[in-house]
Amino acid sequence: MTTMESLIGLVNRIQRACTVLGDYGGGDNAFSSLWEALPSVAVVGGQSSGKSSVLESIVGRDFLPRGSGIVTRRPLVLQLHKTDQSSQEYAEFLHLPKRRFTDFAMVRKEIQDETDRMTGKTKQISPVPIHLSIYSPHVVNLTLIDLPGLTKVAVEGQPESIVQDIETMVRSYVEKPNCIILAISPANQDIATSDAIKIAREVDPSGDRTFGVLTKLDLMDKGTNALDVLEGRSYRLQQPWVGIVNRSQADINKNVDMIVARRKEREYFATSPDYSHLASKMGSEYLAKLLSQHLESVIRARIPSITSLINKSIDELESEMDHLGRPIALDAGAQLYTILELCRAFDRIFKEHLDGGRPGGDRVYGVFDNQLPAALRKLPFDRHLSLQNVRRVVSEADGYQPHLIAPEQGYRRLIEGALNYFRGPAEASVDAVHFVLKELVRKSVGETQELKRFPTLQAEIAAAANEALERFRDESKKTVIRLVDMESSYLTVDFFRRLPQEVDKGGNPAAAAAATATNTDRYGEGHFRRIGSNVSSYVGMVSETLKNTIPKAVVYCQVREAKQSLLNRFYTLLGKKEAKQLSQLLDEDPALMERRQQCAKRLELYKAARDEIDSVSWAR
Ligand SMILES: Nc1nc2c(ncn2[C@@H]2O[C@H](COP(=O)(O)OP(=O)(O)OP(=O)(O)O)[C@@H](O)[C@H]2O)c(=O)[nH]1
């Protein structure tokens, strides 16, 4: 069953949590304010209009600082908690959580001291509220915010801006649509000149959330009364006006007890010829009940939207926390674990690029399918196997004794010379794949969201990956060059055995004729052209082979290694690092740390608020 206590108590607790976490109205906060979503009652009025007196008579205790000039210089959030009839009255400040004040003179002193702590002993003001809770059987559950009194002139020792500063602070509270305005005006002044009504009218023109309170009824000139105001004829509000008779200065000086004062106030209204017909709706006790009931109904109406604000904020904050990353542990083991997790996250993305799922891996195949064959086609074999060159190479190989049947040495030299050309495309394929892999590392580092918060580690992983790729490239180059060298070191015997001499044996007359011609033409142009063409077909065959084996070597040495052991060496080095070096790797951007801290604080606040709401069972 929802009770007034539980609803107002709930808002009290959320307000306290807000203040602890630096979220209060008028504060400069980058986040949407939960405080602002909560209903509150702000006491507004000109200096000496009787604000403190009203507050004290609602509480039934003297506890507010008194003095001339500006006394209330910080907002005072006064939370009243009704306790069992038998329990002792005490007060507690949020900034002094373990101390219970039973002497209300000490409460007054602490308000003064705490004000001075924030503003110095100057007459400056501060928007940071002081939170005071009063637990008493004589109060109703209610939260009131006492604000500095509106003034028209700065007094000695105050900056000229004070008049405006106070108004700005008061306005920052009362302009919030959730703020109930307790507008205090003295009855011995023309209502048209009331500071409280003036500001209330500006921020709440319809008068929905303004409660007009008329103090000092007893000080009105004889023969006059405030019925025009109290009955709503002078200035109409949606809520009823409440008249009050507080203790006079003389009563205060005589230390007239609050309980006595309340009784006297009741008697005043009961016996007053002007107001006795309104007696049941006048006085500070009635005002307290009225406010409490109103606050309760406002809170009840606001709960669904507060709940949805809280849930929405929690979702937003959690997703922001996920984005920012959770805080890092301090011990070396946990740090190493975090680093390894981050490395793995990067590695996973890198592999996705290679295996598909993310783009880029296909460019490796592009190297094998386009670049390598194109480079092979462009090799200058025509020049190398031109008639002129063939003749020159063969002759040089023969020396003083020209070859008799076939130029074995000449063939070898021509073939070796041609095969040498394959080194270029082989190495170029290695380099091309290297650059594809390097680019994928760069992309993967950028795409690893988790790494964004650790610029140092990000750079180290990129460096380690690139260094590994360099090693794989060296190994790959050695392997492909070896493939080319292997082709030179042992020629395919079958190929030569199948050359035209063998064709002769087939008994083909045309071939036989050609063979005869070969003999006659042995050292002529045709002879060298045939040598060139034989070498060319041999080289063509080797080219086909290499077109297949170079990709195999490149994938084996670079792509496969990158997939399997890109960060292996880095892992080994990590294992040898000391705690300090590990935490250096997890060095975060300070702005990010700050943002996370703020987010975490907020999240804590909203979760606490959600728990508070959950803990109250609502009557639907
Ligand atoms: N007789 C009589 N005196 C009152 C009444 N209300 C306030 N006073 C006196 O008016 C003076 C000012 O009252 P406060 O309650 O201090 O007024 P305030 O608005 O809090 O003043 P500041 O804190 O200075 O802005 C005190 O001397 C009170 O005793 C009232 O209803 N009747």
Side-chain angles (χ1 to χ4, degrees), residues 47-53 216 218 246-249 252:
Q47 277 184 15
S48 290
S49 56
K51 293 184 300 320
S52 313
S53 301
K216 307 194 185 178
D218 58 319
N246 289 312
R247 291 175 303 170
S248 65
Q249 192 57 47
I252 294 172

Side-chain angles (χ1 to χ4, degrees), residues 148-160:
L150 294 160
T151 173
K152 294 201 170 55
V153 280
V155 297
E156 185 66 27
Q158 286 179 337
E160 276 308 314

